[in-house]
Amino acid sequence: MILKTLTIENFGKIRHFETSFHRQLTEISDDYADDIIKAIGLVTGNKSLSGCAANNAITENTYINMGLEINDHPYMITAKGQPHENQCDYKLVDRENDLVVDSSSIHSAVRLCEEEESLVCYRYDSKGGYAERFLHYKDPDKYYQSGDFQKRTNGLGRTRSFRACLAEYIKDYEMSNFPSDGYKIKLCPDGEFICCSEDDFSPSAETTERNKRIFDYKCYLAVVDFWDCFENIRDMNHEKWPLIVDSTKNHDYLELEKFFDKTKSERQMIIMKFNDQKRGNLI
């Protein structure tokens, strides 16, 4: 799935917003990044992006219009707020054939399991990092409440193919470079990522806030890459979503212009950052 254009009117704190997206990397500077992300989730049916609070941001004057491509086919989907209801009415247009089609079809075509949905948007959280995500996948009975992992993965996480793909991914993972000289990121056999010395592979004491955030982000990209590998095996027609990176609270640490250019994903990427024109250049 490739996002092309987005127009938002009267949603949350947004009165009017519009933008177009590059097929590879787009940077958006805006004070209301959270509402933009929620609007993208609302119009695409991604509950992880929209969140429960999105309905409270809808008014009868809400208008969200998105141009996108699915399997290289162009569509335009519109969500309009309804009078006296905190929900939207959807309209989907097949732009190649100029036909109005069932809007539920696009949500079905791009639907993800709950775990994959949660990976569409990256935000740094010191309490819920990605370094141990594979560790949790390997032993879900230990790290998830009863039935929760099966629910989050639509049962996929309990399949033999998922377990085999995970084991192979961990075994074949090659240590990646870390921004600090002399250190690399290693994936241990138990599924935990660590930062280690490239000389003796011992765990590193590098604990600066900047390094913690960059380490977490690179672990996140590896988790996304694993799901891409698994879906390529499970469903060749699986629709890969763009990745949204909400860096509005990370601007002092990630050095966007340099760091993100070196860590581009094969997916379309959308970087949300502070409005530099209003706040000054914080990067």
Side-chain angles (χ1 to χ4, degrees):
M1 181 168 72
I2 299 293
L3 305 189
K4 303 289 289 183
T5 60
L6 176 66
T7 300
I8 305 170
E9 294 180 0
N10 302 306
F11 178 77
K13 297 178 181 178
I14 297 173
R15 299 282 69 83
H16 178 82
F17 171 84
E18 60 181 301
T19 191
S20 58
F21 300 97
H22 190 274
R23 296 186 70 88
Q24 293 181 323
L25 178 65
T26 302
E27 294 186 5
I28 297 175
S29 300
D30 195 273
D31 291 334
Y32 304 129
D34 190 54
D35 282 335
I36 295 172
I37 293 170
K38 287 179 180 177
I40 293 173
L42 189 67
V43 78
T44 57
N46 186 315
K47 294 181 180 179
S48 181
L49 292 182
S50 61
C52 299
N55 288 343
N56 297 327
I58 299 170
T59 72
E60 62 182 294
N61 296 317
T62 293
Y63 173 87
I64 305 170
N65 180 272
M66 174 176 282
L68 69 166
E69 292 181 5
I70 299 177
N71 290 325
D72 298 322
H73 196 96
Y75 294 92
M76 184 73 73
I77 185 165
T78 304
K80 291 184 178 180
Q82 299 302 294
H84 316 299
E85 296 183 33
N86 291 334
Q87 59 183 3
C88 289
D89 182 50
Y90 291 88
K91 179 181 178 181
L92 176 64
V93 176
D94 177 339
R95 299 194 68 185
E96 186 170 287
N97 299 304
D98 196 24
L99 292 174
V100 176
V101 294
D102 182 7
S103 61
S104 63
S105 63
I106 197 169
H107 290 163
S108 298
V110 300
R111 184 168 294 140
L112 303 171
C113 69
E114 187 177 343
E115 179 69 9
E116 285 186 274
E117 273 197 355
S118 71
L119 297 173
V120 170
C121 182
Y122 173 80
R123 293 182 176 97
Y124 175 73
D125 182 355
S126 60
K127 297 180 180 179
Y130 289 91
E132 298 183 351
R133 187 63 62 97
F134 291 155
L135 180 71
H136 296 178
Y137 287 177
K138 285 195 69 174
D139 194 358
D141 292 334
K142 179 178 180 180
Y143 294 102
Y144 294 88
Q145 294 184 354
S146 178
D148 189 45
F149 185 63
Q150 183 164 346
K151 173 179 175 293
R152 287 188 60 82
T153 61
N154 285 352
L156 297 173
R158 292 289 189 180
T159 62
R160 182 178 299 176
S161 58
F162 182 92
R163 314 296 297 172
C165 186
L166 179 61
E168 184 176 358
Y169 190 90
I170 292 173
K171 178 174 67 72
D172 293 343
Y173 182 84
E174 296 183 1
M175 287 194 297
S176 60
N177 293 325
F178 195 70
S180 295
D181 292 336
Y183 295 94
K184 288 186 175 291
I185 295 176
K186 177 183 177 181
L187 181 53
C188 301
D190 64 358
E192 182 177 9
F193 286 96
I194 63 170
C195 179
C196 65
S197 167
E198 65 179 349
D199 293 329
D200 57 10
F201 306 127
S202 60
S204 164
E206 289 286 313
T207 56
T208 66
E209 189 65 19
R210 173 183 177 275
N211 283 348
K212 285 180 182 178
R213 293 176 184 249
I214 293 178
F215 174 67
D216 184 69
Y217 175 69
K218 294 201 75 172
C219 293
Y220 160 77
L221 288 180
V223 176
V224 170
D225 183 54
F226 160 73
W227 276 96
D228 283 350
C229 292
F230 173 64
E231 291 293 1
N232 286 339
I233 296 171
R234 187 186 75 89
D235 180 7
M236 292 293 291
N237 297 316
H238 180 73
E239 200 63 37
K240 292 181 175 64
W241 280 61
L243 299 181
I244 301 173
V245 179
D246 182 4
S247 66
T248 53
K249 296 180 181 178
N250 294 357
H251 55 277
D252 288 332
Y253 306 95
L254 291 184
E255 299 175 331
L256 294 179
E257 293 179 342
K258 298 178 182 178
F259 184 68
F260 283 121
D261 188 58
K262 295 178 181 178
T263 57
K264 287 181 181 178
S265 169
E266 292 183 359
R267 302 196 198 189
Q268 181 185 32
M269 295 192 71
I270 300 165
I271 313 297
M272 308 297 300
K273 59 180 187 176
F274 276 105
N275 189 337
D276 301 336
Q277 293 180 346
K278 291 186 178 182
R279 300 174 187 265
N281 190 355
L282 298 176
I283 298 174

